[in-house]
Amino acid sequence: MPSNGSTRATILFADDERALTTLFAAHLRRANFDVRIALDGAEARDAFLLDPASFDLLITDSSMPNLSGIELGEIVAQQGCPVLLTSGADSPEAAQHGWRFLEKPFSADQLVRAVEEVLQRAEEGRERARPA
């Protein structure tokens, strides 16, 4: 997992609700995560594709302009990056893709716990995949 100094992981946070994204990014930063924000799917895709290895997790809303969170998640997941999908409504796509889902509204603590869970599960998967 890439990190800089005491940063635990680098997260790409994509949501078209600027106030929500800014608020939750601040909470994640206080939990020692490096957070990069994108306000639509295409912006997030472009940021990710510039350097996929620099991201440990994508948090994305399912409905965004220019590229949906589902489409964005599929692109990112193909590169081996875990996805945490958020939405104000249930999203069966998250389960179909094996992604963690967090229904809005959620608290900052719920978000941090979900992030930690996804990152832990990804690390365990990498450890199982390593040759003995």
Side-chain angles (χ1 to χ4, degrees):
M1 160 182 330
S3 72
N4 346 350
S6 65
T7 300
R8 296 164 62 185
T10 300
I11 299 168
L12 178 56
F13 195 153
D15 196 309
D16 58 329
E17 295 181 52
R18 183 184 300 269
L20 176 100
T21 307
T22 302
L23 172 70
F24 285 122
H27 284 283
L28 289 165
R29 288 182 181 117
R30 279 195 288 280
N32 294 323
F33 293 105
D34 179 23
V35 182
R36 308 211 189 134
I37 294 173
L39 297 175
D40 70 46
E43 179 186 350
R45 176 201 58 214
D46 294 347
F48 180 81
L49 291 176
L50 281 175
D51 188 8
S54 69
F55 295 101
D56 299 298
L57 173 65
L58 168 67
I59 301 172
T60 183
D61 184 38
S62 63
S63 300
M64 289 187 298
N66 301 319
L67 185 70
S68 77
I70 304 298
E71 294 167 311
L72 173 62
E74 290 171 345
I75 292 166
V76 168
Q78 286 176 357
Q79 300 290 321
C81 185
V83 176
L84 171 58
L85 187 70
T86 68
S87 178
D90 189 29
S91 180
E93 294 91 350
Q96 291 168 357
H97 288 88
W99 302 336
R100 175 71 161 80
F101 176 71
L102 192 57
E103 188 170 356
K104 294 177 180 177
F106 49 80
S107 71
D109 288 341
Q110 288 173 311
L111 178 61
V112 170
R113 279 194 304 274
V115 165
E116 290 170 341
E117 175 187 307
V118 172
L119 291 171
Q120 179 64 35
R121 192 170 54 202
E123 182 61 27
E124 289 168 358
R126 283 190 293 275
E127 288 175 4
R128 280 192 300 275
R130 287 188 192 121

